Amino acid sequence: METKEHKFHQETGFPWKHVIGLLLSLVLTAIAFWLALATHQPPAVVISIIVVLGFGQLLVQLYMFMHFTESDDRAWQVPTIYFALFIAFTVVGGSIWIMSFRSIVS
């Protein structure tokens, strides 16, 4: 295969990084799925392990697919990650707050 040079990264040969990222993502998802359906652990343990697996999934996605480490100018990446974390915590926190408020009202 030929080498293609882009502004931020260089592609050479077969995309092994993407294949490994896909396999890691599938394994992490399968572990979470199996843990939720086939084990008889307390719910707090299951949720804690799934959160850890989700964080691992986040790191795999950022490193393998989003090319987080391949940029020449990383100054824009840090505020973007902080904003994405803010949005994620806002959505999750707001959802938990609304669900807990609804259980009080009903």
Side-chain angles (χ1 to χ4, degrees):
M1 292 185 133
E2 63 185 46
T3 301
K4 297 178 184 176
E5 293 204 22
H6 296 280
K7 183 177 179 181
F8 294 117
H9 66 280
Q10 177 181 356
E11 294 180 16
T12 307
F14 191 76
W16 286 109
K17 189 175 179 180
H18 291 99
V19 172
I20 293 169
L22 173 66
L23 292 175
L24 282 172
S25 296
L26 290 173
V27 166
L28 289 171
T29 303
I31 291 170
F33 188 71
W34 170 78
L35 186 69
L37 295 180
T39 63
H40 300 290
Q41 301 293 328
V45 172
V46 172
I47 291 172
S48 299
I49 295 173
I50 288 177
V51 166
V52 170
L53 290 171
F55 186 74
Q57 185 83 270
L58 170 82
L59 294 177
V60 167
Q61 295 291 325
L62 282 175
Y63 182 71
M64 298 290 190
F65 299 117
M66 306 293 264
H67 307 289
F68 188 67
T69 60
E70 296 178 3
S71 176
D72 292 335
D73 181 26
R74 296 183 185 174
W76 62 272
Q77 289 178 337
V78 173
T80 304
I81 294 297
Y82 286 149
F83 180 69
L85 288 173
F86 170 73
I87 295 297
F89 282 122
T90 302
V91 168
V92 171
S95 299
I96 291 171
W97 180 50
I98 289 171
M99 288 186 291
S100 64
F101 180 70
R102 181 168 178 194
S103 67
I104 292 171
V105 172
S106 330

